[in-house]
C-alpha cells in the first residue's frame, strides 16, 4: 500500500476505529513529518491542550526523513487497519 492510499484509508475508517490518544498522536506526528518535514513552529500555549498534543506528536518525529516517516506511517496504520 502506498502512502496516499494508506492515508485515505485512515481518513475513511478513523471515525469507526477505537484509537488511544497515543495512537492518534503517533498517526498525526508521522503524517505531518511525512508531508511537511521537521516541525519548525513554536510550541502552542499550555492552555491549548489539543494543539499542544499535536505539536508534541509531530515534534517527536523530528529528524526522521519524509520517506522514513511515510514508511513508518504505512507500517503503523496497516497494522491498525488489519
Amino acid at each position: 500500500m502506498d502512502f496516499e492510499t494508506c492515508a485515505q484509508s485512515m481518513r475513511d475508517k478513523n471515525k469507526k476505529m477505537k484509537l488511544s490518544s497515543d495512537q492518534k498522536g503517533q498517526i498525526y506526528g508521522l503524517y505531518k513529518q511525512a508531508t511537511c518535514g521537521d516541525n519548525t513552529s513554536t510550541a502552542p500555549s499550555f492552555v491549548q491542550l489539543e494543539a499542544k498534543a499535536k505539536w508534541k506528536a509531530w515534534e517527536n518525529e523530528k529528524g526522521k526523513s519524509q520517506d522514513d516517516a511515510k514508511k513508518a506511517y504505512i507500517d503503523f496504520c496497516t497494522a491498525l487497519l488489519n
Side-chain angles (χ1 to χ4, degrees), residues 26-45:
Q26 189 165 0
I27 291 166
Y28 180 83
L30 287 169
Y31 182 85
K32 289 294 281 187
Q33 187 69 17
T35 57
C36 301
D38 284 345
N39 182 359
T40 58
S41 63
T42 57
S45 166

Side-chain angles (χ1 to χ4, degrees), residues 43-70:
S45 166
F46 71 92
V47 296
Q48 297 173 300
L49 299 177
E50 184 177 350
K52 183 75 170 189
K54 287 180 174 183
W55 184 87
K56 281 183 181 180
W58 186 10
E59 189 70 11
N60 287 339
E61 304 303 329
K62 195 173 223 171
K64 190 176 284 183
S65 74
Q66 286 182 277
D67 287 338
D68 287 346
K70 284 179 183 180

Side-chain angles (χ1 to χ4, degrees), residues 1 7 15 17 20 22 25 38 53-54 59 62 65 76 78:
M1 178 180 308
K15 300 271 190 234
M17 298 173 76
S20 70
D22 289 340
D38 284 345
K54 287 180 174 183
E59 189 70 11
K62 195 173 223 171
S65 74
F76 187 76
T78 299

